[in-house]
Amino acid sequence: MNLLRKILFPFAILYGFITSIRNFLFDMGILKSHGFEMPIIVVGNLSVGGTGKTPQIEYLIRLLSNQYKIATLSRGYKRQSEGFVLANTEVNAAILGDEPYQFFKKFPNIQVAVDANRKNGIEQLLSQPEKPEVILLDDAFQHRKVKAGFYILLTSYGDLYSDDWMLPTGNLREFGSGAARANVIIVTKCPPNLSVAEQNEIKSKLNIAPHQALFFTFIAYDEFIYSEKEALKVNEIKDSPQLLLAGIAKPAPFFKYLQSENQECLTFPDHHHFTEKDILEIKDKSQHKIIITTEKDFVRLKGSLPIQQLFYLPIKSTFLSDAADFDSIIKNYVASSSRK
């Protein structure tokens, strides 16, 4: 914790008090939450950024989209548009936001929408000629004006909400007691060899309630990198000159997976809008090199960099164990809610 964050500790207390009062008013019904008679699943966190919401949403899409009509609804962070937008062939990453646009390009059989007002966004989706049967709300754990039927809370290994503090001293949007609203808690970005003993220690730290299920996941990197035209095997291009580029919250694991002595790394802020100056810098540093970036950055860089140079590395959220149990919990919730 740096000195400035320590100095701002009184503001963290004040912020925590304000969020606690807000949650109390929702819990007591003084502030109203709007429910919908359909399955709505929230994926969110207590902290700001970097817990792996996007790969977890994609996991749910793969799990459910063969059986149900799926829609995702996100805020569309840093998008250059306002209000409700439903993805179509006319949108791009700037209009939709990078993560929703990634969903749209990756899963053409689902509906992808953005709206900062989640209640309005859901109502707009339900007014479409082809209504979704399940809605996945991305990063909406604190959006309490909508009462979802199922809440998945993510917390990163090594950065657990139980070890954190309120903004601006720490990274929490609300106190750890807010985790009580979750049906499932997932510790993300774990080492693939995380021991059962350490899993039990984390479970004790998080103080999991009897009604909650706890799971552990890690990020699995693809064996291939992809451009718009071809795929290359990662272990076959290790010795090729490369420029690694990331504009995500926590890029270190991405760089670590790919990095060798032939590579240079460029880091940009999370959800960064690449300027003309940025593009010129990337082109200057990437002469005669493969450019490898994240999937989220690829959707923003595509069209600005040479197609034969620009590649992305896909990732997936993978359960250390008990994936079948998680799948069953989600499918049972959706099936029971769909019958209402």
Side-chain angles (χ1 to χ4, degrees), residues 1-281:
M1 187 187 301
N2 62 37
L3 180 60
L4 179 59
R5 284 197 163 204
K6 289 180 180 178
I7 292 171
L8 293 174
F9 181 74
F11 294 97
I13 295 289
L14 177 61
Y15 182 54
F17 176 74
I18 292 169
T19 59
S20 295
I21 292 295
R22 177 179 180 271
N23 280 328
F24 174 78
L25 294 175
F26 274 110
D27 292 340
M28 297 303 293
I30 298 168
L31 293 178
K32 299 299 180 183
S33 296
H34 190 86
F36 294 86
E37 293 186 357
M38 65 172 303
I40 297 178
I41 301 173
V42 164
V43 176
N45 50 24
L46 298 184
S47 64
V48 290
T51 56
K53 293 183 295 295
T54 300
Q56 188 57 51
I57 290 280
E58 291 186 355
Y59 185 98
L60 293 172
I61 294 170
R62 293 187 186 96
L63 178 65
L64 298 170
S65 59
N66 287 336
Q67 190 173 354
Y68 299 97
K69 296 174 185 175
I70 304 296
T72 64
L73 178 61
S74 312
R75 175 176 49 161
Y77 185 60
K78 287 193 175 181
R79 63 186 168 113
Q80 297 172 7
S81 62
E82 294 183 359
F84 177 81
V85 178
L86 182 64
N88 57 40
T89 55
E90 304 299 318
V91 303
N92 55 30
I95 293 172
L96 209 60
D98 50 17
E99 290 160 345
Y101 190 66
Q102 179 178 317
F103 298 151
F104 175 63
K105 299 300 288 185
K106 202 166 184 176
F107 303 101
N109 60 325
I110 72 168
Q111 292 174 294
V112 176
V114 292
D115 196 333
N117 183 334
R118 303 306 205 285
K119 177 178 176 289
N120 180 69
I122 293 170
E123 290 170 345
Q124 291 290 334
L125 280 168
L126 295 180
S127 71
Q128 300 301 311
E130 190 167 334
K131 297 179 183 178
E133 296 171 322
V134 181
I135 296 178
L136 307 178
L137 293 187
D138 180 19
D139 196 16
F141 199 79
Q142 285 76 36
H143 198 94
R144 300 204 57 189
K145 290 183 180 179
V146 169
K147 182 171 178 57
F150 200 92
Y151 290 84
I152 299 173
L153 178 66
L154 309 183
T155 186
S156 294
Y157 173 85
D159 194 17
L160 302 173
Y161 61 76
S162 58
D163 298 331
D164 206 345
W165 189 252
M166 292 294 301
L167 287 164
T169 297
N171 292 314
L172 293 184
R173 299 166 170 175
E174 60 175 303
F175 284 122
S177 56
R181 300 197 302 276
N183 301 91
V184 163
I185 296 173
I186 301 177
V187 182
T188 63
K189 303 185 178 181
C190 297
N193 59 349
L194 185 68
S195 69
V196 173
E198 190 170 0
Q199 291 179 38
N200 289 333
E201 184 180 338
I202 291 171
K203 182 176 183 178
S204 177
K205 268 187 170 186
L206 296 180
N207 195 25
I208 303 299
H211 73 277
Q212 295 175 317
L214 178 67
F215 296 92
F216 296 84
T217 63
F218 66 96
I219 294 297
Y221 292 94
D222 204 297
E223 295 180 1
F224 290 82
I225 58 171
Y226 300 85
S227 72
E228 287 192 87
K229 290 190 172 182
E230 62 178 323
L232 301 175
K233 205 160 189 177
V234 170
N235 62 11
E236 292 178 358
I237 52 101
K238 284 282 188 183
D239 297 326
S240 302
Q242 299 168 28
L243 176 68
L244 307 183
L245 187 160
I248 56 176
K250 297 174 182 177
F254 168 78
F255 289 140
K256 184 178 179 181
Y257 178 76
L258 290 167
Q259 197 165 15
S260 70
E261 58 187 34
N262 290 312
Q263 295 152 348
E264 182 178 359
C265 298
L266 269 181
T267 304
F268 294 89
D270 195 18
H271 300 280
H272 182 65
H273 285 300
F274 293 96
T275 64
E276 187 176 338
K277 182 182 177 182
D278 296 330
I279 298 300
L280 289 173
E281 180 188 6

